[in-house]
Amino acid sequence: MSQPSSTSPSSGFTYVKIGCHLVCLPGIRRYVIVPLLINIILLGSAFYWLFTKLNEWIPQLMSYVPHWLAWLNVVLWPLAVVSIVLVFGYFFSTIANWIAAPFFGLLAEQLEQRLTGHVLNDTSWWSLLSDLPRIMKREWLKLRYYLPRAIGLLLIHFIPGVGQLLAPLLWFIFGAWMMAIQYCDYPFDNHKVSFAAMRRKLAEDRKLHLEFGGLISVLTMIPIINLVIMPIAVCGATAIWVDRYRRSLLK
């Protein structure tokens, strides 16, 4: 089991704050520009469209609530909104991550080099292009892990009454775990740590990673902030890798 440094933060929330500072470091900012533009264009447009559709979708979702539970509408309505925004946010974040994955990998490499002082083998743009097939395969592994679990959670929504109460909570927990996997995977993948091995390592300190992923999930739902959160998440996840896993996994 990886042993974190004695000075490592014990909270995943702290790593999000660290990511905010790291993303602004001189020499790191230029690796943020391209993924930031991708995120602003794609996620900004997607959330604008979502908020124009909520008034249509929420009544449809609420139609599955039995009449005898109508008194719960005051609770179920906001939960339905949260569920849709969580699903929508993760779906379009995944698309943005597919497009920006090579740039996020490069950002994680450059930041790790800055934090450790160790020059990595090859961090050129040509190396990025040559690694593209492997990077895309890794994104597919994440999607393959996500889809069957997401479909199961979607089906829970259609259980009258119980589903509308339970599904938002389960979506949030699962979304937090997937956010941790999504962003922590970049530094792990840069060192060719397998996807299965990476998941096992994260599960050894599930609380920290659920905190990290949970805060990223919440920030992804907030307009304006959700446009800049992805590079911050990559930087925070790279700090987690350096503090807690790099020493033991690269022996």
Side-chain angles (χ1 to χ4, degrees):
M1 183 171 179
S2 302
Q3 294 298 322
S5 142
S6 59
T7 59
S8 299
S10 59
S11 167
F13 304 133
T14 305
Y15 279 106
V16 179
K17 182 179 178 181
I18 290 171
C20 292
H21 293 294
L22 294 176
V23 81
C24 297
L25 288 176
I28 296 300
R29 288 191 294 260
R30 66 175 177 266
Y31 296 100
V32 174
I33 294 172
V34 174
L36 190 60
L37 288 175
I38 291 170
N39 197 36
I40 288 172
I41 293 169
L42 182 59
L43 213 59
S45 302
F47 268 88
Y48 174 79
W49 181 77
L50 169 65
F51 288 119
T52 65
K53 294 292 183 180
L54 278 178
N55 285 335
E56 299 175 24
W57 292 350
I58 297 298
Q60 292 175 11
L61 189 60
M62 296 299 292
S63 67
Y64 290 95
V65 179
H67 292 299
W68 61 273
L69 284 177
W71 60 276
L72 275 178
N73 277 355
V74 67
V75 175
L76 296 179
W77 186 276
L79 288 178
V81 173
V82 169
S83 291
I84 289 176
V85 173
L86 279 172
V87 175
F88 195 85
Y90 187 80
F91 177 75
F92 277 94
S93 294
T94 300
I95 294 175
N97 278 314
W98 271 72
I99 299 170
F103 304 102
F104 283 146
L106 187 59
L107 170 61
E109 281 186 349
Q110 293 297 321
L111 182 58
E112 181 181 342
Q113 185 171 302
R114 178 72 174 268
L115 293 175
T116 63
H118 290 94
V119 178
L120 303 183
N121 293 332
D122 186 359
T123 57
S124 66
W125 290 101
W126 173 248
S127 172
L128 175 68
L129 289 174
S130 64
D131 267 352
L132 203 55
R134 179 182 59 80
I135 293 169
M136 290 299 102
K137 181 181 177 182
R138 189 76 166 209
E139 291 301 312
W140 164 246
L141 287 175
K142 283 183 267 190
L143 185 61
R144 194 172 69 179
Y145 176 81
Y146 170 77
L147 280 178
R149 293 161 178 82
I151 291 170
L153 286 174
L154 279 173
L155 293 176
I156 291 175
H157 272 286
F158 299 103
I159 301 174
V162 176
Q164 287 76 30
L165 284 170
L166 189 59
L169 175 61
L170 296 178
W171 263 116
F172 183 78
I173 295 171
F174 178 59
W177 178 240
M178 284 306 306
M179 286 293 184
I181 286 177
Q182 179 67 55
Y183 294 108
C184 288
D185 189 52
Y186 294 115
F188 276 85
D189 186 38
N190 284 341
H191 291 281
K192 312 299 190 293
V193 178
S194 74
F195 183 63
M198 184 268 298
R199 291 200 330 267
R200 287 195 297 271
K201 282 296 178 184
L202 299 192
E204 290 175 359
D205 194 352
R206 197 179 297 271
K207 176 179 175 292
L208 179 136
H209 295 100
L210 285 175
E211 290 171 348
F212 176 76
L215 183 51
I216 295 298
S217 292
V218 170
L219 295 174
T220 300
M221 292 189 288
I222 301 174
I224 308 301
I225 294 177
N226 62 8
L227 302 180
V228 298
I229 191 58
M230 286 185 179
I232 291 171
V234 174
C235 290
T238 303
I240 292 175
W241 158 262
V242 171
D243 283 352
R244 311 181 81 84
Y245 301 111
R246 187 179 188 278
R247 188 182 297 109
S248 63
L249 290 177
L250 300 186
K251 285 179 180 178

